Amino acid sequence: MSALKFAANLSWLYTELPFLDRFAAAARDGFTGVECLFPHEHATAEIQARLSDLNLQLVLFNAEPGDWAHGDRGLASLPGRQAEFQHVVREALVRAVALGCPRIHIMAGLPPLGTPDERADAWVRFELNLRWAAEQAQAHDRILVIEPINPRDMPGYLLTHQAAAHAVVQRIGSPHLQVQMDLYHCQIVEGDVTERLRRWLPTGQVGHLQIAAVPDRGEPDDGELAWPWVFDELRRLNWSGWIGCEYRPRTTTSAGLDWLRRLRAAGHAL
């Protein structure tokens, strides 16, 4: 069984520091991979410099989600926003190439869902937009991922279940579109995490994992999931991709990394 690779999510971890200083903090704690939500809020050259100087890899970021401050949570399923969606996808792909980042998360959004027709229309828009985006990703040699998000944290989000995400990926049939499987969201919405890992990881359609404790979204060392079992199961399934640490530290990030130090000491994590 191979060692697991963990990436620090710099939008959630080390938040006592300015964003650009979090890269060095992650490197000091032994991370070789990082991810973040919205790198477009910072100069690409500044991020490039920190990645290069610290020998870090940016493994994932989100495409611009629209106007977050006014409630947007992605554009891919929203009516009347196709041109804006295409613009942010193009911008994200250029940024991903410049930063050497292989994967971009495309958020589905909060479309009108009040009637069956509205729900059906939202899914049609989502799939049509993703088909177009996957073609653009292929041209840039990048991979797009879609992530089911629980409706407790993000009410009204279109995509909430693993099977729905995988069905869209299967229908589109592009190697440049995969699923981002966040075990925090998966446990809240569906549970039965072990069986879902056993079902979906062997398909090759999962491009990225993320972790956080349930229900407090703290470090993966407490809560209702048995994290030693989960990590062992990922190793049994030969998961070789990145695992994003998208959690809210209960104290400071460095103080809360004992769970990772134990895995490294046992040779189970890089």
Side-chain angles (χ1 to χ4, degrees):
M1 295 189 290
S2 59
L4 301 173
K5 299 187 300 183
F6 293 92
N9 188 306
L10 300 184
S11 300
W12 286 76
L13 305 185
Y14 306 104
T15 55
E16 69 276 11
L17 299 172
F19 177 77
L20 292 173
D21 292 341
R22 298 174 196 175
F23 292 84
R28 285 194 296 270
D29 280 332
F31 287 103
T32 59
V34 295
E35 61 182 35
C36 64
L37 298 186
F38 306 130
H40 65 274
E41 296 175 347
H42 305 273
T44 296
E46 294 283 354
I47 297 175
Q48 283 175 320
R50 281 155 177 79
L51 294 171
S52 176
D53 291 348
L54 297 163
N55 198 27
L56 289 172
Q57 181 182 357
L58 182 63
V59 303
L60 175 81
F61 67 82
N62 289 8
E64 295 180 49
D67 189 344
W68 188 275
H70 288 87
D72 282 341
R73 295 296 183 267
L75 303 169
S77 67
L78 302 190
R81 307 287 291 272
Q82 184 182 47
E84 186 180 355
F85 171 78
Q86 293 184 354
H87 172 75
V88 302
V89 168
R90 291 190 182 101
E91 290 290 310
L93 287 167
V94 170
R95 187 173 294 109
V97 171
L99 295 173
C101 182
R103 285 178 172 81
I104 302 166
H105 174 207
I106 303 294
M107 296 190 73
L110 310 177
L113 298 173
T115 68
D117 284 348
E118 285 177 331
R119 293 190 65 85
D121 288 347
W123 282 103
V124 168
R125 284 191 298 271
F126 186 47
E127 188 165 328
L128 286 174
N129 280 330
L130 288 176
R131 285 184 183 276
W132 174 88
E135 292 175 357
Q136 312 311 306
Q138 181 176 0
H140 289 78
D141 194 25
R142 304 293 119 169
I143 294 173
L144 308 179
V145 291
I146 55 174
E147 176 190 20
I149 296 177
N150 82 78
R152 185 170 73 203
D153 286 0
M154 198 171 286
Y157 196 72
L158 179 70
L159 185 63
T160 58
H161 285 70
Q162 299 298 316
H166 282 273
V168 169
V169 169
Q170 288 169 359
R171 286 195 297 271
I172 292 176
S174 169
H176 295 272
L177 180 66
Q178 296 180 320
V179 176
Q180 178 174 318
M181 188 175 185
D182 187 317
L183 302 189
Y184 166 78
H185 296 302
C186 182
Q187 172 67 7
I188 290 172
V189 176
E190 305 177 67
D192 205 12
V193 165
T194 297
E195 288 304 313
R196 299 191 191 287
L197 289 169
R198 291 175 179 175
R199 177 178 181 182
W200 298 119
L201 293 195
T203 68
Q205 291 183 174
V206 176
H208 191 73
L209 295 178
Q210 289 179 323
I211 54 172
V214 181
D216 73 352
R217 207 164 190 177
E219 287 88 348
D221 59 4
D222 199 359
E224 63 191 61
L225 281 171
W227 287 103
W229 170 273
V230 171
F231 293 140
D232 284 347
E233 185 66 19
L234 291 174
R235 295 178 67 238
R236 285 189 289 269
L237 290 167
N238 296 313
W239 174 252
S240 60
W242 287 95
I243 303 170
C245 300
E246 191 183 64
Y247 60 78
R248 188 179 297 109
R250 299 185 184 96
T251 57
T252 67
T253 300
S254 297
L257 287 174
D258 282 349
W259 65 272
L260 181 53
R261 297 183 187 103
R262 288 192 294 269
L263 287 172
R264 289 171 175 164
H268 296 170
L270 301 176

